[in-house]
Amino acid sequence: KILSLEPDNFTVIVQLLEYAIESNDIEAVFKYADNAWLYSPDRLEICYYKGLASYLLGRKEESLEIYKEGLEKRADDTSPELVSTVYALLGDTYHELDLMDSCMQAYDSALVYDSNNIGVLNNYAYFLALAGKDLNRALEMSQKTVLAEPENITCIDTYAWVLFKLGRYEEAKAYADKLISIGDEFSSEVYSH
């Protein structure tokens, strides 16, 4: 039986959830989060863990519903970074289900709450580039990630890819060369770029 969610106990609940995640005990994460949510449905932290556990258990549609419900019921004092993170997870899950319009809407919402969310900026830019849509916006978002994290291989790859899609081949090659100089293990997709 989980502790009641008095303010002092909430930190303990989050620590239990983090420990279960670190231990890769996804069933425990889901159980703890599910029980905690009964006592405190306005705590987006609980929704975050419950949705993540559901996603990791392969129940993607269920995780979407959990994220959406948590976002609707969240307390007014929820941190903007957490709201952005949950919208990002919502967008990522929509992407995996090939619901790209919903993905982009979720990413837009994530950026409202944290305009510097590197993961969202990078993924959004990359998906726009893949679709060949709004490439100037993709470039702006991707450039922001490269400036914030100049050694991040994923961000550099996206930036090079956006430049390539814009026909700015010399700049794209310069970033591809930088990518090669700082890393040695790449996905097949990065190699193809």
Side-chain angles (χ1 to χ4, degrees):
K1 185 173 177 175
I2 202 152
L3 300 168
S4 66
L5 288 184
E6 301 297 323
D8 293 342
N9 291 336
F10 186 73
T11 302
V12 174
I13 299 301
V14 170
Q15 289 171 342
L16 280 171
L17 289 164
E18 288 174 357
Y19 178 75
I21 287 278
E22 289 170 8
S23 302
N24 202 31
D25 189 349
I26 305 308
E27 290 288 347
V29 173
F30 194 80
K31 181 181 75 174
Y32 292 153
D34 203 32
N35 286 329
W37 208 5
L38 294 173
Y39 296 98
S40 192
D42 65 336
R43 298 301 297 255
L44 191 55
E45 295 91 336
I46 303 302
C47 157
Y48 165 80
Y49 287 107
K50 185 176 178 182
L52 182 60
S54 183
Y55 173 85
L56 293 172
L57 290 170
R59 303 188 309 233
K60 294 176 185 174
E61 290 85 3
E62 180 181 275
S63 70
L64 288 175
E65 295 309 314
I66 292 167
Y67 293 140
K68 289 190 286 189
E69 185 176 349
L71 287 163
E72 287 174 12
K73 292 182 176 181
R74 72 181 181 270
D76 292 338
D77 64 346
T78 304
S79 84
E81 292 81 12
L82 179 60
V83 176
S84 180
T85 297
V86 174
Y87 271 118
L89 291 169
L90 187 64
D92 293 344
T93 307
Y94 278 131
H95 170 258
E96 289 194 24
L97 295 170
D98 201 28
L99 299 168
M100 293 310 291
D101 288 340
S102 296
C103 170
M104 300 305 185
Q105 289 171 2
Y107 284 166
D108 281 330
S109 295
L111 292 174
V112 166
Y113 289 93
D114 180 3
S115 62
N116 295 314
N117 185 322
I118 298 299
V120 170
L121 289 166
N122 184 74
N123 289 351
Y124 203 161
Y126 186 68
F127 298 151
L128 287 172
L130 284 178
K133 295 180 179 177
D134 209 354
L135 293 176
N136 289 324
R137 182 172 185 215
L139 182 67
E140 187 178 303
M141 287 190 287
S142 186
Q143 185 176 40
K144 195 171 184 179
T145 69
V146 171
L147 291 172
E149 297 185 8
E151 301 297 311
N152 184 319
I153 291 171
T154 303
C155 294
I156 295 168
D157 174 58
T158 297
Y159 191 58
W161 186 243
V162 172
L163 288 167
F164 176 81
K165 294 292 275 190
L166 283 165
R168 294 167 58 174
Y169 302 122
E170 289 301 316
E171 291 172 89
K173 183 181 181 313
Y175 277 92
D177 289 343
K178 178 179 179 177
L179 181 65
I180 291 166
S181 74
I182 63 172
D184 60 337
E185 291 188 30
F186 304 114
S187 69
S188 59
E189 191 170 19
V190 171
Y191 272 119
S192 72
H193 293 167

